[in-house]
Amino acid sequence: MGLISGIMMGMIFGIGIMAGCQHMMRYRSRKRIAKAVDVKLMASLNRDDLKKICGDKFPEWISFPVFEQVKWLNKQLSKLWPFVADAGEAIIKDSVEPILEDYRPPGISSLKFSKLSLGTVAPKIEGIRVQNFKKGQIIMDIDLRWGGDPNIVIEVDAVVASIPIQLKDLQVFTVIRVIFQLAEEIPCISAVVVALLSEPKPRIDYTLKAVGGSLTALPGLSDMIEDTVDSIVIDMLEWPHRIVVPIGGIPVDTSDLELKPQGRLTVTVMRATNLKNQEMIGKSDPYVVVYIRPLFKFKTKTIDNNLNPVWDETFELIAEDKETQSLLLEVFDEDIGEDDRMGVTKLPLNELESDTPKEIELRLLPKYDMLKIKDKKDRGTITIKILYHEFNKKEQLAALEEEKRIIEERKQLKAEGVIGSSMEALDGAAALAASGVGAAGSGIGAGLGAGVRVVRSGLSKTKKFMGRTFTGQSTNHKKSDSHSPPASVVHQD
């Protein structure tokens, strides 16, 4: 009897243990599922949502990476780089040399590569962010870093000398935006758009070294090359400007991908106050350069011997992307030699309301990049009136046709030998008007609703500031520094 009762108790005890284990396993499974649901819900929250939930107990170590790391891609890129570099060298030489010719500064007769090698060090992709802003498109932002060992030598031919210039210690820090336009036919991509994002500001650092000569043989040569590189990056590659490449060999309509005029900016440069004097004897002779794109600039008249000048001149500029572009104003002192920069400022266009006039007083800065400036003394202020008008469809098409007409006239001037590059369009416009080509008594580049004017500026020793504006007025060309802070607004009505 004792044996039977012992067996029964053992069986009951064993069954109880098995049931308990089974219950515990089910309980833990339910808890894991519940936690997985909670984690999934938390993963969909952003930083602000979590701060609302956690309050003061929000852990600072929690991060939300915007870009996904792609270590595997960097490994493959390192293996492929010798082949990519060979192909890239040929493409760069064929495509960049014509651009250098268009943006070649006055006083330089030729800019060509005499040696071009991208080196053995591959770029590094820090991360990739994929976005979907529009149906039928995939938008990919690539955080790129390149501290390579390229061997790039540019042959610079000028009137007085010819010097090979080597670009050394090249470093590139930028975010590249790539837009894939999707299609229903293989290869399923009809076009690719490539641009450099304006924020964070693209950084291209390098040093210039003369091969077998000295940079001092051509005064201002280093500045002119840096200005040319900056103008190309800002005017062609920096968002909203972009390069559109059709893919697949099938004719496609890429007009929706191309940059179009978005609005007209009417700017009246009224006056400046308390400018910093640049002269040892007497006072400065200030003038203002106004622009959105470096290739299309305005220049005011020069006010002699005055630190509180009044210009009261009105200009019209074209904006392609109000959300990312800015109005830039640069005040210079006109000299017999190189003109001195007295102060700069910028006004983001996204701060403007359409068809609402404003009078704004902006504080002048020594440079756009104040981190590198030791002299932070007050440079005075400049007062402008500004009005932004957003185009309707008809006005947009008219502005687009006007821009195409200007480009074609530049090409005509270049083909006839009147100008050597787009940056010399001012002299070409004057020569064209004098020879009777085009509209009688007019220069090149009439703006929308504005009369055609050609205004000559004082030439500096290196013949800078010869660019032509969208509305046909000649200007000086100066370098736009990177990492630009927004304008300091002193007062606005």
Side-chain angles (χ1 to χ4, degrees), residues 100 103 105 111 223-232 477:
L100 288 175
Y103 284 80
L111 280 174
D223 288 339
M224 281 194 287
I225 292 177
E226 290 179 1
D227 287 348
T228 301
V229 172
D230 283 352
S231 295
I232 292 173
H477 175 64

Side-chain angles (χ1 to χ4, degrees), residues 54 66 84 86 94 116 121 126 148 179 211 324 332 375 396:
C54 300
V66 177
V84 174
D86 289 342
D94 293 340
L116 177 61
V121 179
E126 294 291 335
I179 302 176
V211 180
T324 60
F332 292 92
D375 181 11
Q396 185 183 63

